[in-house]
Amino acid sequence: MPNTIDGVLDWWAANRAEVAAVRSGDDTLNYAELRQWSLHAAAFLAERGLTAGDRLCIQAPNSFEYIAAMLGAIRLGAIAVPINPRIHPRERNDLIGDFEPRLLIVDTAADAGALPEDVQALPIEAIRALRTASGEADPPRGVDEDAIVGIISTSGSTSRPKGVMYSNRTVIAAAMQMLVQEPYCGEGARVLVYPSISTSAGFLPVFQILVFGGTIYLGGAFEPEAALKIIESERITMMMCSTIFFEHCAATSIFPSTDVSSLRAALTGGSPVSRELQRVWTEKGAVLRQIYGQTECSGFATFQSAEDSRTFPDKCGRGGPFTDIAIMRADGTPAPHGEPGEILLRGPTIMRGYWRAPEATAAVLKDDWLHTGDLGMLDERGNLSFIDRLKDVIKSGGYQISATELEAIINEIPAVESVAVIAVPDERFGETPMAIVYGQGSVTIADVLEHCGNSIARYKIPRYVVIEDAPLPRLATGKVAKAEIRNKYKHAHEMLDQVR
């Protein structure tokens, strides 16, 4: 049996054919049905020219057919490249220029508008129709354990997203790490997935769950009361969401009466778990467990044990069984326990690199260690505390927004001379962007909103905009002094009105 995702799917289909692989609402797809669907999807895509090494971009909401299409591509040896369904057409076409896909699957035919001429677009309905296809499909198989199977775009500290590459081995190692760390995550696990498959928080759990034989429950658009009802009725055993999602659930009127005790692993990140939030969930029989990770390390590098989470809810654990964690000072020497430094990670779950970006890859992968660009420290027991992001990323409602990318967009406005985008707290999304803009002439808040609306996804558009009448402070290097600006505006969101 090859060490590949499709090989594992074949094994589950042969040995646990009737086990539910994916559920959504009242619809269920078992492992035998998912394998058969993916075979027909592979044949369909091969007939349209998709071969080993080609990229298949998919821009659509989470669905059964989305998963079948990705599995079909992987069976061919092609690379699945999910694209955020909410991004602006301009942003999508930038990604298409980077990935040069053979095919693009979109939600509807109307979504294919304004594409580059050499890109063939298919509505996802074409994959949906293959669910009931008759006969046996025998597509060509491009099995390679080290082949790239997926690329996830991530907003880093640069103005353009980078494509993080995962191989068969990477994805399977991440699944095995979770299974060794938490054996109950294996066969019989029921995992509720809300994040878009276009993010590492959606893409990786889907494949990891299929590797260890669990059941994926696609939750659709997040609504706190609906999520609680699913947890109770489906006896969900695992859920991985930003901390703010658990806060919204706890704030509902039905939370006190909902049985969430089936949640063996309530994993969360994005912001610390407060002791009060931990208390209300623990009293319900579910312990919130802080994780640390990023797209470049297959989503998570460590998560806190249930026992330690009760006492240290803000810590992230001591690393996975296959992952080493180190803290490095700015001078390149190891930091002792209790001293902050850059978080370094090493292990088989680390990405294979950035797509067609050897210099960017070399900058973060050094001597087998991933330099995360994040600040943290280890205590005397080896527990990791995440302190702050060295990279300039805003985490908002489960999505990552690059402040640098947003600054570049606003700087396109002719009257703008300088801009700084910072994260500010938001009750609904956890964080949201605030743009501080300086320009000569008549630049207005309306100008900023209009230009952003014509250029980027709506969720990236700043909810707060400040027009400064003096140049923004700068460092000796000439860069805008972000730390000074953050300090000046740390309470501004409490006094300003949101502009959208």
Side-chain angles (χ1 to χ4, degrees), residues 15-31:
N15 292 278
R16 304 286 193 276
E18 299 302 317
V19 172
V22 193
R23 280 183 50 74
S24 181
D26 295 328
D27 198 2
T28 302
L29 191 67
N30 67 35
Y31 273 90

Side-chain angles (χ1 to χ4, degrees), residues 253-277:
S253 61
I254 68 169
F255 182 73
S257 60
T258 303
D259 181 2
V260 297
S261 61
S262 61
L263 271 177
R264 298 290 300 276
L267 306 181
T268 185
S271 60
V273 176
S274 68
R275 293 187 180 275
E276 175 61 18
L277 184 64

